[in-house]
Amino acid sequence: MKILKFGGSSVASPDTIRQVAAIVESYYEAGERFGVVVSAMGGVTDALLELADRAASGSDFTEKLDALRVRHLDAATGLLDGDRLRHTREKFERRFAKLDNILQAVQAIRELTARTKDYIVSFGERNSAFLLSQFLASKGLQAPYLDAANVVITDDRFGGARVRKEDTYARIQAWMAQFPGIPVITGFLGATEDGIRTTLGRGGSDYTAALFGAALDAELIEIWTDVNGILTADPRDVPDARSLKQVTYAEAMEMSHFGAKVIYPPTIRPALEADIPIVIKNTFQPGFEGTRISSVKAPNGQLITGIASIDKVVLLTLRGTGMIGVPGFAARLFSALSAEGVNIIMITQGSSEHAISFAVSPADALPAKAAVDKAFELEIERGIVEPVKMEDDLCIIAIIGESIKNRHNIAGMLFRALGANGVNVVAIAQGSSELIISVVLDRADKRKAVNAVHEMFFSDAITRVHLFVVGTGLVGKELLRQIEAQNPTLIRDHALEIKLCGIANSRRMYFDASGMPIADWPTLLDQGDKSDLAAFVTAMSEMNLRNSVFVDCTAGDRVPAFYGHVLDHSISISTPNKVAASGPLLRFRRLKQLARANNVSYLYETNVGAALPLIATIRDLVRSGDTILKIEGVLSGTLSYIFGAYTADKRFADVVREAKALGFTEPDPREDLKGLDVARKIVILAREAGAAMELSDVESDPILPDACLHAPNVEAFFAELEAAESFFAGHRDAAAQNGCVLRMLATYQDGHCRIGLQEVDASSPFYGLTGGDNMVAITSKRYHTHPLIVRGPGAGAEVTAAGVFAEIITIAKGR
C-alpha cells in the first residue's frame, strides 16, 4: 500500500491534472495498491482567505468569488464531457452558491471566526479532490471521492486542529475496507466529533497523507510537488542547489522547521512513529528519483545535509542584572509567550544568564513583547530588568545534518564562510540534538550568506566570484579577454567561475548582478549610464554579492580614494594602480587594517614588476623571520628597454621614439623618464620590507635636462631630447670607457631609498639586462653572500593582466 499526495502546483490546471492522472495510471497499471491525497488547486487557499477577509471588512468580494468559480468550472470543462461534466459543474455551482451565502453572512455581521474561516477554506480541497476523482473515473478507474472530514477526527482548535489518531486510524481503516479502488482524498481537512469542519494547519495536506499512511500501514508515502525532492538549499537563493537522495526523519524535520517548504514537521511524525519512509517526488519530472526520508542516514560523506532559512524574523531580548542566578526567569518568560500563543522559532541564552534572546515571526513580535513586558512589569519598574528589545528585518539560516555532532570544525567553517563575506551574526544557537547550528542575520545578507555557506560545505558546488572592473584600457581589456578565455577551464577543473557584474570607464558604467556575457562588455558598457565613481561603488556595495572583487585598472588617484569604502563593505581589491600603496603611509596602513578587519584581501602584487612575484617574495621572507638588508633593482620595463637599447650606434631620442612606438612608454615619455613610477615602486618594496617610507623620502637623481622637462608638448620634448644628445651620449660613453653600462636603478638600504642612473659593470646582475625585463636583487640575512634574484618581464598589458587574474583566483580560493 502506498499513499500519493499531490500539492497545489500539481493540480493547478487541467494540464497539470492530466499529468497527475498519468502518474496515477502508471501506478495502477503496475499493479500498485494506493490512495491519492490532494491539496487545493494552486493559489486557491490564499484566494479563499482573501475572500473571507474582504467579507469580514465589509469590502466587495463578488468579482473575486466569480473569478474563482469560473476557474473551477473552466477546469472541469477542460477535463470532462457529457454527464460527468454536467454533474461536476452542478456540484461546483451548488458549492459556490453556498460559499457566497456564507461570505454574505460574514459581511453582514463583520465578524470572521476561526471556525467559519476553516469552513470557507475547506472548499479548495473539496473541489480539487472531487474534480480529480471525476477525471480518473472518466478514464475508467475506480476512484471514489473521500472528504477527509468524514474520517479525520480532531479537537476544535480551528486553524490548526489536533488529530485524535486512534479514532482517526479506526475510521480510515473502516472506510478503506468498505470502498475499494483508488480513493481520492481531500488533504488538510478534518472535523470534530460533532462533524464541525476543521483544518490541520500549515502543511495539512502532507499531514493527511501521513495519517492515512500510518493508519493503513503503508510501505511508502510519496509527496508529489514541483521540485526534485529536498534540495541542499532553496534554489531561489542558490541556483546550484542539488537534490538530496536520502535524509533522516530528524534532518527533514529540522530542515522543514527552518523553512524547507517541500515538507512540514507534522507530516513526518506519524510516518516516523510507524517507520514509513517518505519520498519527495516531482510531478513534472516523474522519472527523477527524488528524496527518500527514513531512519537511515545517507552514506554520502558530506559534512552537512543541507541549508535552510527563514526569510523574516524578529529577535526579542530580555536582559537585566536581576536575571543572573535567579531561578524561574526562563519559565516565566516562556509561560508568558505560551499563554499568548506565540510560536518561538529559536532560543539562545548566554552563559552569564544576563539575557535570553528568542526569534519569532513578525506577526508574533508585538504580542510577544507586550506579554513579556507585562510578565516582568515589577522587575522593569525596579530597573533590574530592561523592557524587551526588538530587532527586526532579520532572517535565520541554519546548517543541518546528522554529521554535525560527530565532526569537528563544522561551526568554524560556517563562521569562516560568513566572516569572509562580511556577514554579521546577530545571534547563534545549536540544538541539543546537535543536528543543527542556526544563526540570525540581517535580512539583506541572506542570499549572500546562504550561497557562501553552500560553497563552503558542498565540495561539488561552484565558487562564483563577482567581479567589478574600473578601467578599460590596455590592462582592463586584456584582463577581461583572459577571463573569458579561461572561464570554461576554471569551471571544469577548479569549480570556480568568474562573473562580471560591473564595469566602468571614464565615460560609462554598466551593471548586471547575475553576470554579463564577458565578450559583450564593450556593447553593454556603451549602453550603460554616465560614469560616476561614487555611484559605481555604492551600487556595487548595495548589490551585496558574496565573493565580490573590485579591480582598479586605472593609473590615477581618483579610484584609490574609494578603496576604504570598498574594503569596509567586505569587498576585496586587486589592482595594478600604484597610487594607494605608494601614497601617504598612514592611508596605506589604514587600507591594510581595513582589509584585515573585514576579512578581505587588498592585493597589489602587480604594482611592481607586473606578474613577477616581488612583493610576495619580500613579504614571505619577512614573515618567516628574515631581515631585508638591501633591495636593488631595475623596476621600469620602459627604462630597462631604453637604456638596454641605447648603444653607440643610436641616438637617445630615437631609442625613446622606438619605445613609444612599441607601447612601452606613456603618451608623454617624460612620465617614465622623470622616474616617479620607479620611485613609487621602490617605496612599495621598502614598505613590504618593514620601512616606514613616504614617497617624499625617496632621493632622486634626474635623468632629463631641465629643457626637456619643461618643453611645452611632446613634439617639443623630442626636439629638446635631440638637442641634448651630447648630454646622454657623454654619460653612455663614459660608462663604456669604464667597462660599464647605464641602468636606471632603485635602491633601498639602511632605511633610505634612492633612484638614479648608475654605471654597472660585468660583475653586476644588471649588466646584461635587455629587452625591457625587470630585475630585483634582494639581500637579506639569509641571502647575504648571493642575493636572491627575481627577473622577468615587468611591464606590458598581458603580463600585468595575468598577475591581476592570478590575484582574483587567489582571493576566490582563499575565501
Side-chain angles (χ1 to χ4, degrees), residues 85-242:
L85 172 60
R86 185 166 51 255
H87 172 61
T88 303
R89 288 178 64 92
E90 289 173 355
K91 185 88 166 179
F92 284 173
E93 290 285 15
R94 288 195 301 271
R95 284 181 174 173
F96 276 99
K98 194 169 191 176
L99 178 58
D100 187 16
N101 290 335
I102 296 166
L103 292 170
Q104 288 186 38
V106 170
Q107 188 180 53
I109 64 173
R110 302 289 178 90
E111 182 181 1
L112 177 65
T113 64
R115 172 177 169 174
T116 302
K117 184 181 287 189
D118 272 9
Y119 189 78
I120 290 170
V121 297
S122 75
F123 283 86
E125 273 73 15
R126 290 157 62 196
N127 286 337
S128 64
F130 185 77
L131 179 59
L132 179 60
S133 73
Q134 290 298 304
F135 183 56
L136 293 176
S138 73
K139 300 172 77 65
L141 299 180
Q142 188 176 1
Y145 163 74
L146 170 58
D147 184 342
N150 294 322
V151 294
V152 176
I153 308 303
T154 73
D155 62 16
D156 60 0
R157 299 188 186 189
F158 300 101
R162 295 183 180 180
V163 175
R164 296 178 180 173
K165 291 181 182 176
E166 188 173 333
D167 292 341
T168 295
Y169 290 174
R171 292 198 184 197
I172 289 173
Q173 291 160 3
W175 193 95
M176 291 294 291
Q178 184 179 358
F179 295 95
I182 306 165
V184 180
I185 307 155
T186 60
F188 185 51
L189 306 182
T192 66
E193 285 281 4
D194 298 330
I196 299 171
R197 287 191 175 276
T198 59
T199 60
L200 306 183
R202 183 171 175 258
S205 292
D206 290 353
Y207 191 17
T208 302
L211 290 169
F212 272 77
L216 300 172
D217 195 23
E219 62 181 281
L220 195 67
I221 298 167
E222 292 182 351
I223 308 294
W224 291 81
T225 181
D226 55 2
V227 294
N228 286 331
I230 298 177
L231 305 183
T232 50
D234 188 333
R236 293 171 298 183
D237 290 328
V238 183
D240 291 336
R242 58 180 175 81

Side-chain angles (χ1 to χ4, degrees), residues 460-501:
D460 56 349
I462 292 178
T463 297
R464 287 187 171 84
V465 173
H466 298 94
L467 192 65
F468 298 85
V469 177
V470 174
T472 58
L474 292 175
V475 174
K477 288 178 181 175
E478 176 61 20
L479 172 65
L480 294 173
R481 187 200 67 77
Q482 291 180 14
I483 291 173
E484 181 195 0
Q486 188 65 7
N487 241 343
T489 301
L490 290 175
I491 295 169
R492 184 188 66 241
D493 297 343
H494 304 282
L496 172 63
E497 181 181 14
I498 299 174
K499 299 176 79 70
L500 180 61
C501 298

Side-chain angles (χ1 to χ4, degrees), residues 671-748:
E671 294 300 316
D672 300 286
L673 293 164
K674 283 190 295 188
L676 178 60
D677 180 69
V678 175
R680 288 188 183 280
K681 291 176 178 178
I682 194 61
V683 165
I684 293 169
L685 295 182
R687 287 176 175 178
E688 295 300 327
M693 185 67 59
E694 297 283 5
L695 186 60
S696 59
D697 296 332
V698 179
E699 301 174 23
S700 178
D701 297 327
I703 298 174
L704 297 174
D706 284 347
C708 295
L709 283 172
H710 298 109
N713 52 50
V714 175
E715 184 179 350
F717 159 69
F718 273 110
E720 292 291 348
L721 207 59
E722 290 174 357
E725 175 59 27
S726 60
F727 171 79
F728 295 106
H731 282 295
R732 179 196 62 202
D733 294 343
Q737 288 177 3
N738 296 326
C740 298
V741 294
L742 294 176
R743 297 290 181 259
M744 181 65 172
L745 287 179
T747 305
Y748 162 70

Side-chain angles (χ1 to χ4, degrees), residues 309-477:
S309 59
I310 299 177
D311 193 45
K312 298 178 183 178
V313 300
V314 177
L315 190 70
L316 290 88
T317 301
L318 180 67
R319 175 184 289 111
T321 56
M323 297 171 59
I324 300 174
V326 179
F329 261 86
R332 290 171 60 194
L333 168 66
F334 297 124
S335 293
L337 295 172
S338 177
E340 193 63 28
V342 172
N343 179 50
I344 300 173
I345 301 170
M346 190 189 93
I347 305 166
T348 182
Q349 180 177 14
S351 58
S352 67
E353 300 180 347
H354 180 253
I356 300 175
S357 296
F358 53 97
V360 301
S361 70
D364 283 339
L366 290 176
K369 174 176 169 54
V372 176
D373 282 344
K374 183 177 181 181
F376 292 92
E377 186 175 9
L378 293 178
E379 288 86 352
I380 291 171
E381 288 178 358
R382 291 170 57 195
I384 61 174
V385 170
E386 300 172 14
V388 170
K389 175 187 175 184
M390 288 200 333
E391 299 172 83
D392 57 6
D393 210 20
L394 302 175
C395 69
I396 296 177
I397 70 167
I399 58 171
I400 297 158
E402 296 274 2
S403 297
I404 290 177
K405 58 187 172 185
N406 300 317
R407 300 293 291 267
H408 300 295
N409 199 35
I410 298 289
M413 293 173 67
L414 168 65
F415 295 119
R416 187 159 70 250
L418 297 175
N421 285 278
V423 177
N424 183 50
V425 176
V426 179
I428 307 162
Q430 181 169 12
S432 58
S433 65
E434 298 185 80
L435 294 179
I436 182 168
I437 303 173
S438 53
V439 291
V440 179
L441 313 170
D442 191 309
R443 189 168 166 236
D445 287 331
K446 179 198 165 192
R447 184 179 175 87
K448 177 168 73 169
V450 173
N451 276 275
V453 173
H454 194 269
E455 288 174 1
M456 173 66 76
F457 282 102
F458 293 97
S459 58
D460 56 349
I462 292 178
T463 297
R464 287 187 171 84
V465 173
H466 298 94
L467 192 65
F468 298 85
V469 177
V470 174
T472 58
L474 292 175
V475 174
K477 288 178 181 175

